[in-house]
Amino acid sequence: MTEIETGNSAENLPYALERIEEIFDKSGSRRPVLFLDYDGTLTPIVSDPDEAILSDKARNVVSKLSKQITVAVISGRDRKDIQSKINLDSLIYAGSHGFDISGPDGMEMQYEPGRKTLPALDEAEKRLNEKLQDVEGAWVERKKFAIAVHYRNVADKKVEVVKNAVLEELEVYRELKKGSGKKILELKPDIDWDKGKALNWLMEELKLDANEYIPIFIGDDITDEDALQAVKDKGIGIMVGSHDQKTAATYRLKNTEEAIEFLDRLQKRLLK
Ligand SMILES: [Mg+2]
């Protein structure tokens, strides 16, 4: 992840809702391209990720916007998951932090270095399932571009077995690296990749030249900082809520409700 050396606390940023005209002035003759995070940006954070349901109001405004400008959602979720949650076929969906992309008219693309790690992920998944089948409580969760091994429900004396199994696979498959979360060990592609790189790659692949298009990114989390950094000089970065680190955003919105309100005003302003 990018180190944010300079930046502000989100609390000190001006409100995007009050600066719509300023944002349009900055855009000049360039057409906005909208990049959106999902969880915490379009939907409030909930404890069960399956319950992060998009409101009708939000779906409606995003749908309208996607008929006026290019709208892409970049999420850490699997692409099919995010696609079924939003359920609009006029958007670009960049799942797995942008490794896996689909768009209108059946457009599909995968970041090549990421795609090359799929056989290793398939094999490691199979081997982990075999190795851990007798460890009670262990759960090997396959995501498209990662394997999450959960050990929250594993007895303390067996946790070491789980950890060793993961480390063994990482030894075998050098194209994978270790990630971790709360009572989770993760195997993921050993590629220098983040939402900022995904945003830049998408702009390039979609031939959205920086002279003609201005990227607007809206996100809420620390993993969104890479994308906020990527648009800092060439576009508009907007932070929803705040996190405990400095942000590269230029504007802020209080919560997801304000984010939807902002999209609504942007949509109406684009009609002018
Ligand atoms: Mg988020």
Side-chain angles (χ1 to χ4, degrees), residues 75-215:
S75 171
R77 288 177 183 259
D78 273 4
R79 192 247 299 166
K80 286 195 170 145
D81 179 17
I82 199 72
Q83 209 162 5
S84 72
K85 287 214 157 34
I86 297 179
N87 196 21
L88 292 170
D89 51 20
S90 47
L91 297 198
I92 292 168
Y93 296 97
S96 306
H97 291 117
F99 276 138
D100 193 11
I101 290 162
S102 72
D105 307 321
M107 181 270 276
E108 278 194 28
M109 53 189 184
Q110 285 176 342
Y111 181 62
E112 183 65 13
R115 197 182 60 77
K116 284 187 172 155
T117 65
L118 287 174
L121 285 163
D122 291 344
E123 285 172 35
E125 177 196 8
K126 193 165 157 265
R127 287 160 53 110
L128 281 165
N129 272 318
E130 282 163 11
K131 280 184 185 170
L132 299 175
Q133 63 182 346
D134 296 328
V135 178
E136 211 182 304
W139 173 33
V140 179
E141 182 195 10
R142 177 60 191 272
K143 300 176 182 181
K144 179 92 181 179
F145 282 96
I147 303 168
V149 182
H150 300 253
Y151 58 89
R152 179 179 298 279
N153 298 322
V154 173
D156 286 350
K157 60 179 194 301
K158 289 282 184 183
V159 168
E160 209 56 22
V161 178
V162 177
K163 289 186 177 172
N164 285 336
V166 170
L167 292 178
E168 277 167 31
E169 294 315 301
L170 289 166
E171 275 299 310
V172 176
Y173 301 105
R174 307 311 290 256
E175 58 269 68
L176 303 180
K177 68 177 171 188
K178 189 176 140 195
S180 51
K182 288 176 189 155
K183 305 276 181 186
I184 294 172
L185 285 167
E186 212 182 22
L187 298 93
K188 55 187 187 181
D190 187 8
I191 296 170
D192 184 20
W193 187 255
D194 56 50
K195 280 194 181 182
K197 292 193 171 72
L199 187 149
N200 286 332
W201 182 67
L202 258 174
M203 295 272 300
E204 225 167 89
E205 290 292 310
L206 300 171
K207 306 207 166 25
L208 299 168
D209 188 276
N211 295 317
E212 291 171 56
Y213 295 92
I214 178 166

Side-chain angles (χ1 to χ4, degrees), residues 37-43 45 74-76 195 218-224:
D37 169 54
Y38 184 74
D39 295 273
T41 298
L42 292 179
T43 63
I45 297 288
I74 308 184
S75 171
K195 280 194 181 182
I218 312 180
D220 70 302
D221 209 345
I222 294 167
T223 54
D224 294 314

